[in-house]
Amino acid sequence: MNTVLVNSERCIGCKHCEIACAIEHSLSKDLFSMLSEEVISKPRIHVEVGKDLLTFPNKCRHCNPAPCMEVCPTYAISRDEKTESVLVDPAKCIACSMCAIACPFGIITFEKTYTVRRCVNVKCDNCIDRQKEGKKPACVEACKTGALIFGDVNDLIRERREEVTKMVTKTLKDQINPKYL
């Protein structure tokens, strides 16, 4: 399964991911045109400020099982069989906010959309249309620091584990007195 992995220690709070997300989900797919649209697109990823002013990109994890999907009374939330992304059908959403209450990451927001012109759940859809074209999600493509990476979840975790192991090993080597080796 392909997913977006967050390396929060690399986030500098530039919000390029938020801008790219809003543009991608706009009607025109262009920043300047988007700003004059009747319904202005909002980002589905949010750069949050944590302890000590550290920032991190917070987005839908497309959980399996997905608590938001399990509590939706209108079945507006479903999983795409091919990409395994958790998606919202805005025509079925009644904005009851049960999904937002169930979400363990607090990322679900309700905004007016140009498709149904009323407030509905506008959570991340993993840029499913871009994925079908063989592209990365817009937030990943816009991230210049590597805080967001996209790929097979097992490959990403293995690579991250190897990166951390190298970093810890180097740190330990630097701290050990050479005469004890």
Side-chain angles (χ1 to χ4, degrees):
M1 175 178 113
N2 284 340
T3 191
V4 176
L5 187 70
V6 176
N7 288 325
S8 57
E9 68 277 2
R10 292 185 180 171
C11 181
I12 60 171
C14 68
K15 298 192 178 214
H16 282 145
C17 56
E18 285 188 9
I19 295 166
C21 180
I23 293 169
E24 180 61 31
H25 291 92
S26 71
L27 189 58
S28 64
K29 309 241 185 279
D30 174 72
L31 176 62
F32 298 109
S33 300
M34 175 187 85
L35 295 174
S36 63
E37 291 175 3
E38 183 181 330
V39 177
I40 297 176
S41 178
K42 301 284 196 298
R44 296 154 188 228
I45 183 170
H46 307 282
V47 176
E48 309 282 349
V49 179
K51 187 178 180 189
D52 298 327
L53 299 177
L54 296 175
T55 57
F56 65 97
N58 194 12
K59 64 176 290 308
C60 179
R61 290 5 177 244
H62 300 275
C63 306
N64 193 2
C68 62
M69 190 168 73
E70 292 177 359
V71 301
C72 182
T74 61
Y75 304 101
I77 303 173
S78 62
R79 186 177 303 280
D80 180 71
E81 291 179 20
K82 186 175 181 183
T83 64
E84 297 186 32
S85 298
V86 177
L87 306 173
V88 177
D89 180 348
K92 292 181 180 178
C93 180
I94 59 172
C96 67
S97 76
M98 291 300 295
C99 53
I101 294 167
C103 178
F105 302 104
I107 54 86
I108 295 175
T109 58
F110 296 84
E111 301 289 341
K112 190 184 255 190
T113 68
Y114 64 85
T115 54
V116 292
R117 299 187 188 276
R118 60 183 172 85
C119 284
V120 293
N121 176 335
V122 290
K123 66 171 237 33
C124 169
D125 62 359
N126 255 350
C127 288
I128 194 162
D129 293 334
R130 289 176 61 93
Q131 282 191 56
K132 288 177 181 175
E133 295 172 4
K135 297 178 184 176
K136 296 177 183 177
C139 61
V140 175
E141 193 173 277
C143 183
K144 303 302 182 211
T145 63
L148 299 171
I149 52 177
F150 181 73
D152 179 81
V153 67
N154 291 319
D155 292 342
L156 295 175
I157 290 170
R158 182 179 28 74
E159 289 169 13
R160 180 72 177 135
R161 192 171 42 236
E162 290 170 1
E163 185 180 303
V164 169
T165 301
K166 286 178 186 175
M167 189 171 50
V168 169
T169 304
K170 182 185 180 322
T171 302
L172 288 174
K173 282 181 181 177
D174 290 346
Q175 292 178 356
I176 296 174
N177 189 328
K179 71 179 184 180
Y180 296 115
L181 295 176

